[in-house]
């Protein structure tokens, strides 16, 4: 999002957003649980790569502590959930429309719980003896729960957009306040000089987002669709991977697909002799019938500075052994 007449016109609403969020932070009490909490968050409204970063971080935690006695769990607020106070996810039992798309991806890496109230959810996990660490998916802007380590995820291409607060821009809080909270920054992609300057006083872990099943789509004419905050990230990744992208279709971020949507996409693709491709984050929301018909591009995050990440994580979990 660039600075233009529309964004400047929306600045008064951004001022209201700032005042309300600041008041909430002042009035809200911060509570601490007996187990360490690591928060993986972002400063913009979607598109930073937070979920792949959380999954990759979970794998690094397993490398650091392969002992089965050490277990961690993800805690997510969910998105468009069913309002349940505290839900322990089980693969095959829960669906994305009830608990959110991100938790459905996280649960494949570690036990995952969903709670609208982060403190309540953290306290429930605190009572589970075998879980020694809580990884909070999102929550940088919520100060109700004390975090022992705050990791900020930044996409190098998007960075902080026009740096205006919602709705004039993508920022969920000011850059100054956000960077002040961050103990560590994961930068996905190649950062430019401007971004490096903004992060000059921060510990940075570089990372790359890599597709893992590209060969499944080689030679196919593709119709790509997704419901992301920045759909062009997905489409650009397909093109940069030398796949034959013929059509693009975008849906709103966190879109809840109806069967009619998927049927229309399938029919159109068949008519044009194109193969449908989407993101795994979208795919987990489809009914099983369409999951069998529609393919997704699988990606994983690769840390280029894993030793630094392990060192910072080790400071948090070391006393658990």
């Amino acid at each position: 999002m660039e600075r233009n007449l529309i964004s400047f016109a929306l600045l008064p609403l951004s001022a209201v957003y700032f005042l309300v969020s600041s008041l909430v932070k002042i009035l809200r009490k911060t509570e601490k649980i007996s187990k360490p909490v690591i928060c993986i968050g972002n400063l913009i409204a979607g598109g930073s790569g937070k979920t792949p970063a959380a999954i990759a971080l979970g794998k690094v935690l397993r490398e650091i502590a392969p002992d089965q006695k050490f277990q961690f769990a993800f805690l997510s607020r969910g998105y468009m959930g069913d309002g349940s106070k505290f839900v322990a996810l089980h693969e095959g039992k829960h669906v994305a429309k009830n608990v959110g798309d991100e938790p459905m991806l996280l649960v494949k890496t570690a036990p995952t719980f969903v709670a609208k109230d982060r403190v309540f959810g953290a306290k429930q996990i605190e009572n589970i003896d075998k879980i020694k660490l809580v990884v909070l998916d999102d929550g940088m802007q919520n100060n109700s729960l004390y975090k022992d380590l705050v990791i900020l995820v930044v996409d190098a291409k998007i960075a902080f957009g026009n740096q205006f607060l919602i709705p004039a821009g993508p920022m969920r809080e000011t850059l100054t306040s956000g960077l002040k909270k961050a103990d560590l920054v994961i930068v996905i992609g190649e950062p430019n000089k401007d971004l490096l300057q903004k992060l000059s006083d921060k510990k940075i872990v570089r990372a790359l987002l890599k597709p893992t099943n590209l060969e499944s789509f080689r030679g196919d004419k593709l119709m790509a669709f997704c419901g992301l905050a920045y759909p062009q990230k997905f489409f650009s990744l397909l093109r940069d991977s030398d796949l034959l992208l013929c059509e693009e279709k975008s849906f709103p971020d966190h879109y809840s697909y109806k069967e009619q949507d998927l049927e229309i996409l399938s029919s159109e693709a068949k008519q044009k002799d194109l193969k449908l491709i989407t993101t795994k984050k979208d795919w987990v929301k489809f009914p099983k019938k369409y999951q069998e018909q529609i393919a997704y591009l699988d990606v994983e995050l690769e840390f280029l500075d894993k030793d630094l990440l392990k060192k910072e994580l080790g400071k948090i979990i070391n006393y658990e052994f």
Side-chain angles (χ1 to χ4, degrees):
M1 182 181 287
E2 299 178 353
R3 295 188 177 186
N4 51 36
L5 288 176
I6 295 176
S7 63
F8 280 106
L10 290 171
L11 279 177
L13 293 178
S14 294
V16 174
Y17 173 88
F18 175 76
L19 290 173
V20 172
S21 57
S22 298
L23 184 61
V24 169
K25 289 176 185 177
I26 292 171
L27 297 177
R28 182 183 283 150
K29 176 185 175 184
T30 301
E31 298 188 50
K32 181 177 173 60
I33 63 171
S34 60
K35 296 175 180 179
V37 174
I38 296 175
C39 172
I40 303 178
N42 55 18
L43 297 185
I44 62 173
S48 66
K50 176 178 57 63
T51 301
I55 293 170
L57 182 135
K59 293 177 181 177
V60 173
L61 282 171
R62 295 215 182 282
E63 289 180 21
I64 297 174
D67 195 322
Q68 289 299 313
K69 291 186 295 184
F70 177 84
Q71 288 196 32
F72 67 93
F74 289 113
L75 174 61
S76 174
R77 187 177 182 274
Y79 189 88
M80 299 289 286
D82 60 7
S84 298
K85 286 188 176 181
F86 184 74
V87 178
L89 264 62
H90 299 283
E91 287 190 74
K93 179 180 177 182
H94 294 94
V95 293
K97 69 178 181 180
N98 292 332
V99 296
D101 45 25
E102 289 149 348
M104 294 296 291
L105 298 175
L106 296 172
V107 73
K108 296 180 181 296
T109 301
T112 300
F113 302 87
V114 173
K116 295 295 182 185
D117 185 326
R118 298 181 193 282
V119 173
F120 177 78
K123 287 184 176 179
Q124 301 309 302
I125 298 175
E126 185 179 27
N127 294 326
I128 304 174
D129 291 338
K130 65 180 181 180
I131 296 177
K132 308 299 182 184
L133 169 76
V134 178
V135 179
L136 191 63
D137 175 42
D138 209 352
M140 269 191 74
Q141 288 72 44
N142 186 314
N143 67 336
S144 62
L145 179 64
Y146 177 82
K147 294 104 174 173
D148 297 85
L149 179 69
V150 176
I151 300 175
L152 168 64
V153 182
V154 180
D155 181 276
K157 285 186 177 180
I158 300 170
F160 308 109
N162 62 12
Q163 294 188 48
F164 285 166
L165 292 175
I166 295 170
M171 299 293 288
R172 300 162 75 175
E173 65 178 306
T174 66
L175 184 58
T176 300
S177 66
L179 291 180
K180 187 176 181 180
K181 296 176 186 176
D183 301 300
L184 187 68
V185 182
I186 294 174
V187 176
I188 303 174
E190 186 66 40
N192 58 29
K193 291 182 179 180
D194 180 61
L195 179 57
L196 289 175
Q197 180 61 36
K198 289 181 172 67
L199 304 175
S200 59
D201 63 341
K202 292 295 174 183
K203 296 177 182 177
I204 297 175
V205 173
R206 292 279 314 284
L208 296 175
L209 198 61
K210 293 191 171 183
T212 61
N213 62 339
L214 281 177
E215 296 310 312
S216 302
F217 306 100
R218 292 288 182 205
D220 291 323
K221 294 185 292 182
L222 302 173
M223 176 187 288
F225 71 99
C226 62
L228 305 174
Y230 294 91
Q232 286 304 322
K233 274 185 61 178
F234 175 53
F235 302 143
S236 295
L237 180 58
L238 296 176
R239 289 197 200 88
D240 293 343
S241 301
D242 294 323
L243 295 182
L244 186 55
L245 181 57
C246 298
E247 287 200 32
E248 307 168 0
K249 294 186 181 294
S250 302
F251 292 83
D253 192 21
H254 291 286
Y255 185 70
S256 180
Y257 292 89
K258 305 175 183 65
E259 285 208 24
Q260 183 181 8
D261 298 319
L262 300 171
E263 191 58 42
I264 290 173
L265 285 166
S266 297
S267 297
E268 186 176 346
K270 185 176 181 180
Q271 183 181 2
K272 297 179 179 180
D273 194 26
L274 302 177
K275 182 175 181 178
L276 286 172
I277 183 172
T278 189
T279 72
K280 193 172 184 179
K281 191 174 179 181
D282 290 277
W283 183 86
V284 296
K285 294 182 282 190
F286 303 164
K288 187 174 181 181
K289 169 186 173 182
Y290 292 98
Q291 287 184 336
E292 294 172 350
Q293 296 176 15
I294 299 172
Y296 63 84
L297 183 71
D298 208 1
V299 297
E300 65 179 14
L301 198 71
E302 178 184 321
F303 293 115
L304 304 182
D305 306 295
K306 191 185 288 188
D307 288 343
L308 173 58
L309 180 61
K310 285 184 174 181
K311 180 181 177 182
E312 295 303 311
L313 293 175
K315 294 177 183 178
I316 303 300
I317 68 175
N318 184 55
Y319 65 88
E320 294 293 341
F321 303 97

